[in-house]
């Protein structure tokens, strides 16, 4: 096992823990402002796991997919904020 594989495995465990904490928070919270941010709390670590996977597969397409999903996650956060504020700026 190469040292990079060990580092990627440790990072994947840390990122997966972050996703788990975000999912638990999503289930337990009732505040609308926190609910608006929770998709990002779960989605961005998922993008991180995908990037860790792409480090092991050495594929250039995976970087483009991760970049696109990060941009779409940001847009979805803005849309959720607009819904919560009822269209206010």
């Amino acid at each position: 096992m190469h040292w990079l594989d060990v580092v990627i495995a440790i990072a994947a465990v840390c990122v997966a823990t972050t996703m788990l904490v975000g999912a638990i928070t999503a289930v337990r919270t009732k505040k609308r402002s926190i609910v608006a941010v929770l998709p990002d709390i779960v989605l961005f670590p998922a993008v991180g796991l995908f990037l860790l996977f792409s480090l092991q597969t050495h594929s250039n397409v995976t970087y483009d997919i991760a970049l696109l999903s990060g941009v779409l996650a940001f847009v979805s956060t803005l849309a959720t904020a607009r819904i919560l504020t009822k269209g206010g700026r």
Side-chain angles (χ1 to χ4, degrees):
M1 205 169 181
H2 196 261
W3 66 271
L4 184 61
D5 295 332
V6 174
V7 171
I8 289 173
I10 292 170
V13 168
C14 292
V15 172
T17 304
T18 303
M19 288 179 66
L20 181 65
V21 169
I24 290 171
T25 304
V27 171
R28 297 182 69 187
T29 190
K30 301 289 187 215
K31 295 181 181 178
R32 294 178 67 182
S33 59
I34 295 175
V35 171
V37 179
L38 282 175
D40 286 340
I41 293 173
V42 176
L43 183 63
F44 284 123
V47 172
L49 280 176
F50 189 73
L51 284 172
L52 289 172
F53 169 74
S54 70
L55 283 174
Q56 295 218 330
T57 59
H58 304 293
S59 174
N60 291 331
V61 176
T62 56
Y63 297 119
D64 295 334
I65 293 170
L67 181 64
L68 181 64
S69 63
V71 169
L72 290 176
F74 178 71
V75 170
S76 72
T77 301
L78 291 177
T80 305
R82 292 290 299 252
I83 290 169
L84 288 176
T85 61
K86 295 181 175 77
R89 292 184 188 237

